[in-house]
Short mmCIF file of all heavy atoms in Angstrom, two decimals:
data_model
loop_
_atom_site.label_atom_id
_atom_site.label_comp_id
_atom_site.label_asym_id
_atom_site.label_seq_id
_atom_site.Cartn_x
_atom_site.Cartn_y
_atom_site.Cartn_z
N ARG A 28 125.08 214.41 64.50
CA ARG A 28 124.03 215.42 64.50
C ARG A 28 123.03 215.11 65.65
O ARG A 28 122.52 216.10 66.27
CB ARG A 28 123.25 215.33 63.13
CG ARG A 28 122.11 216.37 63.04
CD ARG A 28 122.52 217.76 63.31
NE ARG A 28 121.40 218.73 63.16
CZ ARG A 28 121.38 219.91 63.71
NH1 ARG A 28 122.43 220.36 64.40
NH2 ARG A 28 120.35 220.71 63.52
N SER A 52 121.02 207.65 83.69
CA SER A 52 121.46 208.33 82.55
C SER A 52 120.82 209.70 82.46
O SER A 52 119.98 210.12 83.28
CB SER A 52 121.11 207.56 81.26
OG SER A 52 119.70 207.27 81.21
N THR A 53 121.19 210.48 81.38
CA THR A 53 120.49 211.70 81.05
C THR A 53 119.84 211.50 79.66
O THR A 53 120.23 210.67 78.90
CB THR A 53 121.42 212.89 81.06
OG1 THR A 53 122.57 212.64 80.20
CG2 THR A 53 121.88 213.29 82.42
N ASN A 86 103.23 206.28 63.84
CA ASN A 86 103.07 205.42 65.02
C ASN A 86 104.28 205.53 65.98
O ASN A 86 104.24 204.98 67.05
CB ASN A 86 102.92 203.95 64.63
CG ASN A 86 101.58 203.72 63.96
OD1 ASN A 86 100.97 204.56 63.37
ND2 ASN A 86 101.13 202.43 64.03
N HIS A 105 111.10 196.85 81.35
CA HIS A 105 110.37 196.50 80.21
C HIS A 105 109.82 197.78 79.57
O HIS A 105 109.45 198.69 80.33
CB HIS A 105 109.23 195.52 80.55
CG HIS A 105 108.67 194.77 79.38
ND1 HIS A 105 107.75 195.30 78.49
CD2 HIS A 105 108.91 193.49 78.98
CE1 HIS A 105 107.50 194.37 77.61
NE2 HIS A 105 108.18 193.27 77.84
N THR A 121 110.44 198.29 70.17
CA THR A 121 111.52 199.25 70.47
C THR A 121 112.56 199.15 69.40
O THR A 121 112.97 198.03 69.05
CB THR A 121 112.19 198.92 71.89
OG1 THR A 121 111.22 199.12 72.96
CG2 THR A 121 113.38 199.81 72.11
N SER A 127 127.39 206.02 69.43
CA SER A 127 128.83 206.14 69.75
C SER A 127 129.33 204.69 70.06
O SER A 127 128.54 203.80 70.36
CB SER A 127 129.08 206.98 70.93
OG SER A 127 128.61 206.40 72.13
N VAL A 129 131.70 202.65 72.77
CA VAL A 129 131.99 202.78 74.18
C VAL A 129 133.24 202.00 74.58
O VAL A 129 133.41 200.82 74.11
CB VAL A 129 130.80 202.24 75.07
CG1 VAL A 129 131.01 202.44 76.56
CG2 VAL A 129 129.47 202.92 74.63
N ILE A 142 121.40 187.42 76.27
CA ILE A 142 121.98 188.05 75.10
C ILE A 142 122.45 189.45 75.56
O ILE A 142 121.69 190.16 76.22
CB ILE A 142 121.00 188.18 73.94
CG1 ILE A 142 120.61 186.80 73.40
CG2 ILE A 142 121.61 189.03 72.85
CD1 ILE A 142 119.44 186.86 72.44
N TYR A 191 99.07 202.22 67.18
CA TYR A 191 98.28 203.26 66.41
C TYR A 191 99.13 204.53 66.30
O TYR A 191 100.20 204.63 66.77
CB TYR A 191 96.97 203.48 67.10
CG TYR A 191 96.13 202.26 67.38
CD1 TYR A 191 95.73 201.94 68.66
CD2 TYR A 191 95.72 201.41 66.32
CE1 TYR A 191 95.00 200.81 68.96
CE2 TYR A 191 94.97 200.27 66.54
CZ TYR A 191 94.62 199.97 67.90
OH TYR A 191 93.88 198.87 68.14
N ASP A 192 98.52 205.44 65.61
CA ASP A 192 99.11 206.77 65.46
C ASP A 192 99.43 207.39 66.83
O ASP A 192 98.54 207.60 67.62
CB ASP A 192 98.13 207.63 64.62
CG ASP A 192 98.61 209.08 64.33
OD1 ASP A 192 99.64 209.47 64.88
OD2 ASP A 192 97.92 209.73 63.54
N SER A 197 99.20 213.30 70.06
CA SER A 197 100.20 214.05 70.84
C SER A 197 100.13 215.47 70.46
O SER A 197 100.12 216.40 71.33
CB SER A 197 101.58 213.42 70.61
OG SER A 197 102.55 214.25 71.20
N THR A 209 100.87 204.10 81.90
CA THR A 209 99.46 203.75 82.07
C THR A 209 99.20 202.28 82.05
O THR A 209 98.08 201.82 82.04
CB THR A 209 98.60 204.48 81.01
OG1 THR A 209 99.09 204.11 79.70
CG2 THR A 209 98.54 205.94 81.18
#
Side-chain angles (χ1 to χ4, degrees):
R28 178 58 179 160
S52 58
T53 52
N86 290 27
H105 200 280
T121 294
S127 68
V129 181
I142 296 168
Y191 306 120
D192 181 350
S197 172
T209 53

